[in-house]
């Protein structure tokens, strides 16, 4: 509806979600939970199955501030896996949805969109967004295309290590605004 040349804002609904603990089993549709293994153990499927073949890997520590337990945007990377973990094993949260990248717009029907990065995708379904609680000395490896929101946490600041490509956030960063496009803000109840 147009009023004086401006569109009427969509009402916003708060969707309260209870997180589930991230385990190798509970997180397998989105990626991997990597836990400590004995020194000298050979590479196997429990290790992070990485795809960093599209550029120069970047491994760095991010200092994040004021990341409250709510989110209204969710992002994916179509060309690379990504690993995230808290320094010191502090508790943090991650909203996720399954990858929804499609070959062509015709393959996905009228819901398909083209990313500014060039690929086609279907926006994540609001009712399919899941929130995970990650605690202790483990990290998360996100599959290519997994939608994610976070890291989110309760303290004022936290440091995280991040493994992606050197230009991931420039050339491979697609964001869906849940608040603007779906009228939803997720609130984590933990």
């Amino acid at each position: 509806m147009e009023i004086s040349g401006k569109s009427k804002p969509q009402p916003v609904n708060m969707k309260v979600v209870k997180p589930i603990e991230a385990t190798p089993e509970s997180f397998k549709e989105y990626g991997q939970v990597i836990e400590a293994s004995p020194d000298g153990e050979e590479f196997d499927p429990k290790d992070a199955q990485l795809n960093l073949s599209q550029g120069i890997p970047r491994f760095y520590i991010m200092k994040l501030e004021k990341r409250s337990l709510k989110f209204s945007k969710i992002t994916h990377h179509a060309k690379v896996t990504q690993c995230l973990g808290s320094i010191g094993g502090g508790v943090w949260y991650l909203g996720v949805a399954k990858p929804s990248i499609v070959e062509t717009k015709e393959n996905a029907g009228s819901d398909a969109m083209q990313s500014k990065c060039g690929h086609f995708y279907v926006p994540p379904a609001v009712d399919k967004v899941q929130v995970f609680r990650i605690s202790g000395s483990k990290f998360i490896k996100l599959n290519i295309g997994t939608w994610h929101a976070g890291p989110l946490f309760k303290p004022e600041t936290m440091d995280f290590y991040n493994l992606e490509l050197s230009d991931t956030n420039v050339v491979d960063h697609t964001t869906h605004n849940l608040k603007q496009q779906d009228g939803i803000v997720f609130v984590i109840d933990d």
Side-chain angles (χ1 to χ4, degrees):
M1 168 187 272
E2 292 277 331
I3 301 173
S4 306
K6 295 182 181 181
S7 61
K8 184 177 179 181
Q10 183 173 349
V12 176
N13 295 306
M14 305 299 256
K15 182 169 178 141
V16 178
V17 291
K18 282 277 202 198
I20 61 174
E21 191 66 31
T23 66
E25 183 63 28
S26 68
F27 199 75
K28 69 182 179 182
E29 294 181 277
Y30 313 100
Q32 295 174 273
V33 174
I34 307 300
E35 300 175 297
S37 59
D39 185 33
E41 190 170 277
E42 294 197 16
F43 182 77
D44 69 15
K46 292 184 305 210
D47 293 312
Q49 306 298 305
L50 304 173
N51 183 338
L52 300 168
S53 64
Q54 301 293 311
I56 299 168
R58 179 182 183 205
F59 183 60
Y60 65 104
I61 297 173
M62 308 184 294
K63 178 176 249 3
L64 299 178
E65 299 178 351
K66 299 179 183 175
R67 299 291 180 106
S68 66
L69 300 188
K70 65 181 179 178
F71 61 94
S72 61
K73 293 180 181 176
I74 195 162
T75 297
H76 77 230
H77 308 299
K79 296 179 183 175
V80 66
T81 55
Q82 181 179 17
C83 294
L84 296 164
S86 69
I87 304 293
V91 174
W92 58 287
Y93 304 84
L94 190 68
V96 294
K98 290 181 191 176
S100 57
I101 298 168
V102 294
E103 289 289 319
T104 65
K105 188 171 184 163
E106 291 75 34
N107 289 357
S110 62
D111 290 341
M113 301 177 77
Q114 186 168 20
S115 167
K116 64 180 176 146
C117 303
H119 65 277
F120 292 96
Y121 67 94
V122 175
V126 169
D127 61 340
K128 300 292 184 184
V129 173
Q130 176 65 57
V131 174
F132 287 91
R133 180 181 192 270
I134 301 100
S135 59
S137 57
K138 55 183 146 187
F139 69 90
I140 297 297
K141 190 270 322 203
L142 296 167
N143 289 337
I144 291 174
T146 295
W147 292 96
H148 55 286
L152 306 169
F153 45 85
K154 293 178 183 178
E156 188 73 14
T157 66
M158 279 182 77
D159 293 341
F160 291 83
Y161 54 86
N162 187 353
L163 175 61
E164 56 190 3
L165 294 181
S166 60
D167 61 357
T168 294
N169 289 320
V170 176
V171 301
D172 188 20
H173 193 270
T174 301
T175 299
H176 179 76
N177 190 321
L178 296 157
K179 184 177 179 180
Q180 285 181 349
Q181 295 171 330
D182 302 295
I184 297 289
V185 173
F186 283 88
V187 178
I188 302 167
D189 179 17
D190 192 33

